[in-house]
Amino acid sequence: MRLTRYFLPVLKETPADAQIASHRLMLRSAMVRQMSAGIYSWLPLGFRVLQNIEKIVHEEQVCAGAHPILMPTIQSADLWRESGRYDAYGPEMLRIKDRHDRDMLYGPTNEEMVTDIFRKAVGSYKELPQMLYHIQWKFRDEIRPRFGVMRGREFLMKDGYSFDIDKESAIHSYNRMLVSYLRTFERMGLTALPMRADTGPIGGDHSHEFLILADTGESEVFLDKSVTELRLGEREVDYADRAQLASIVEEWTTPYARTDETHDAAVFESETPEARRMTARGIEVGHIFYFGDKYSKAMKAEVAGPEGSLIPVEMGSYGIGVSRLVGALIEANHDDNGIIWPEAVAPFDVAIVNLKQGDEKADAACNELYAAFSGAGYEPIYDDREERAGAKFATMDLIGIPWRITVGPRGLKNGVVELTSRRSGESIEVAPAEAVEKYVELRRAAS
Ligand code: 5CA
């Protein structure tokens, strides 16, 4: 992408109403614009990151055996009357009437709708287990939308739903999702910790929130430090292997890690050696629930069991805050100059900065580098503006491109360009023809 052809209306001033770094940086770097309270448009740079995150979420969901679908945003109130949540949900639900005066709503979540799809399609335990998910916009009329996309009113969620014949297999489905979330967040370069949590309006008695530790997090958390050091790394996961999944889940959930709602100081102290006790704040990027037959019973989602009698299915639901993750990733990856994208979600792989636009040799070298990176499957953004070097560096730092290639007449005279890491700030000189190779090597070493 050539910057002069791109749509990147960065802001020079720090927006006054943005209280946290991610909100400020998302506005300044022209990732989003607010349309009304808690409702945002995604501009090209932000939309790229959102789509990169979506892609990782999709891949890991499918890998764990979930099937992608797409349900509508507008739902009929009748379904919610069946489950009893139409009245229970309260003012967070945006209620709408259509031209026939029928009650509709903008979905805040989809348990009812997916249960309806399921009950009309599946009749026997032999067709189980099933796991369906979608990535779709939700609306919750939050009383206090704030921190930009972190607590929006309209936001993008991955919500998945599992259907099993009994509790044992439902817990296996739950474990599949828990482990797939560990992989999903690790791929994004995040440490997201599963913590035992309350279930709120979704219901059930077995639930984990995934939290990223950050000072600006909304929940206070209590944890054993050792849980922050766990990594799946290169471990092979076999989603059919119940024992393996159960042991991974045990490894991650045994060290004390809880959100404030369920915090019991005495239990925390008895379960956690003093040297390892830690309190912190966390951003909730995912939440998973096992709620048994709460919806299947109310909505008669039953299948014939092995003995022929009808059994309400055992269900769970599994959410990831896809749009919130964009903010959470920035909270976890920024400095005074701007964003520092992890490679896996970066909007562009590499920034090519031309120090002397219009200089024949510098222009030619930039064009060649652009072609070389593109040809190798990487996406460059080329700062081809007629601007001072300092302004170009500042923009590329602000928007967080993980690597920068600086090209200028003086370097070229010596046969080199400069390759700089956004994260470490370290630079090396490299011959233009070897830039891609060196980049690949450094990128691999850094991740
Ligand atoms: N049906 C269940 C699971 S699919 C559910 O709705 N769970 S939830 O309420 O916990 O939401 C799932 C995730 O969506 C949360 O973990 C959070 O990351 C994200 N989320 C929830 N509310 C908002 C909001 N107002 N703005 C941005 N993200 C949100």
Side-chain angles (χ1 to χ4, degrees), residues 74-94:
I74 306 289
Q75 307 187 19
S76 155
D78 289 340
L79 275 180
W80 288 68
R81 292 199 175 100
E82 277 191 60
S83 72
R85 280 207 297 181
Y86 189 61
D87 293 326
Y89 216 93
E92 269 195 14
M93 180 186 277
L94 181 64

Side-chain angles (χ1 to χ4, degrees), residues 187-238:
R187 268 184 70 181
M188 295 175 193
L190 286 173
T191 311
L193 311 172
M195 305 203 177
R196 276 167 283 178
D198 275 352
T199 56
I202 308 294
D205 54 13
H206 186 62
S207 171
H208 287 89
E209 281 177 4
F210 284 76
L211 280 101
I212 290 168
L213 301 185
D215 295 340
T216 44
E218 290 194 297
S219 353
E220 184 169 31
V221 296
F222 303 85
L223 66 154
D224 182 328
K225 260 184 226 160
S226 63
V227 67
T228 64
E229 284 145 24
L230 295 169
R231 295 287 179 279
L232 277 174
E234 302 289 297
R235 215 181 302 191
E236 289 277 343
V237 172
D238 175 359

Side-chain angles (χ1 to χ4, degrees), residues 36-89:
S36 51
I39 301 179
Y40 291 84
S41 286
W42 292 77
L43 303 190
L45 191 79
F47 193 45
R48 273 179 178 258
V49 176
L50 191 68
Q51 290 188 305
N52 290 344
I53 293 172
E54 270 189 68
K55 185 164 178 278
I56 294 175
V57 172
H58 273 303
E59 284 172 5
E60 293 300 331
Q61 286 294 296
V62 169
C63 186
H67 306 300
I69 60 173
L70 186 59
M71 293 179 272
T73 54
I74 306 289
Q75 307 187 19
S76 155
D78 289 340
L79 275 180
W80 288 68
R81 292 199 175 100
E82 277 191 60
S83 72
R85 280 207 297 181
Y86 189 61
D87 293 326
Y89 216 93

